[in-house]
Amino acid sequence: MRRVWLVVLFGLTACSSIGGPSSEPTDESPSEANNANLTDAVLTDAVLTNAVLDRADLAGANLTGANVTGANLTGADLTGADLTGADLTGANLAGANLRDAVLAGASLRDALLSGANLTGADLTRANLTGANLTDANMEGADLVGANLTRADLTNVTGSPAPTSPTPTSPGPTSPTPTSPTTTSEP
């Protein structure tokens, strides 16, 4: 039962990589897919509310517009994943690898991102209100227009990308080139 439900949920044609070796019903939630291999999966607009995907491999996955509210993605690999406009409100992403992930316009309101790797992540216009980013690595993360109201940034490491262009000082002046003069012969 559980394997069939996950096949429908994730749109996969094979289910051997998720749900475990047994197809017998269990007491576990049908949205549980610990250690699932969903590399490069297309989960656009998927509803994964309260899903248990801890340690899942979602590297390169397309989760654009997905509803992942309250999901458990502890230790998940989301390297290079596209979560543009996804709703991750209250999601647990503790220790997750979000290196180079695109979270532009995503809602990470009250999300747990402690110890997460956000190196090079695109968080432009993301809502991180009340998010816990304790001990997260944010080296080179793009935070232009991000809302960090009440976010816990205790022990965050790395330097986010500049939020505005760095002013440059004018270099040495060089003579202005003159345009060649043409004369017309009568």
Side-chain angles (χ1 to χ4, degrees), residues 50 67-71 86-92 107-111 127:
N50 298 317
N67 181 348
V68 196
T69 57
D87 188 352
L88 293 128
T89 301
N92 183 347
S107 176
L108 292 149
R109 188 178 196 86
D110 299 319
N127 184 354

Side-chain angles (χ1 to χ4, degrees), residues 8-77:
V8 172
L9 174 68
F10 295 119
L12 303 174
T13 55
C15 58
S16 61
S17 65
I18 56 177
S22 171
S23 62
E24 294 178 22
T26 67
D27 292 331
E28 296 172 340
S29 165
S31 60
E32 188 166 322
N34 296 333
N35 296 305
N37 182 358
L38 298 168
T39 304
D40 297 321
V42 177
L43 301 168
T44 305
D45 297 320
V47 177
L48 300 169
T49 305
N50 298 317
V52 179
L53 295 163
D54 59 321
R55 296 176 312 281
D57 186 350
L58 289 152
N62 182 346
L63 289 146
T64 303
N67 181 348
V68 196
T69 57
N72 181 356
L73 292 152
T74 305
D77 185 0

Side-chain angles (χ1 to χ4, degrees), residues 140-174:
D142 188 345
L143 296 165
V144 173
N147 184 347
L148 293 162
T149 304
R150 296 187 328 274
D152 186 349
L153 302 171
T154 306
N155 296 325
V156 167
T157 59
S159 299
T163 57
S164 61
T166 305
T168 56
S169 60
T173 56
S174 57

Side-chain angles (χ1 to χ4, degrees), residues 78-186:
L78 291 148
T79 304
D82 187 351
L83 293 130
T84 302
D87 188 352
L88 293 128
T89 301
N92 183 347
L93 293 148
N97 187 357
L98 292 148
R99 179 183 208 89
D100 299 321
V102 179
L103 294 140
S107 176
L108 292 149
R109 188 178 196 86
D110 299 319
L112 178 60
L113 291 151
S114 61
N117 181 2
L118 292 157
T119 303
D122 179 357
L123 292 157
T124 55
R125 299 174 322 282
N127 184 354
L128 292 149
T129 301
N132 182 338
L133 292 148
T134 304
D135 298 316
N137 182 350
M138 299 193 67
E139 184 68 38
D142 188 345
L143 296 165
V144 173
N147 184 347
L148 293 162
T149 304
R150 296 187 328 274
D152 186 349
L153 302 171
T154 306
N155 296 325
V156 167
T157 59
S159 299
T163 57
S164 61
T166 305
T168 56
S169 60
T173 56
S174 57
T176 306
T178 57
S179 57
T181 315
T182 57
T183 57
S184 53
E185 297 286 327

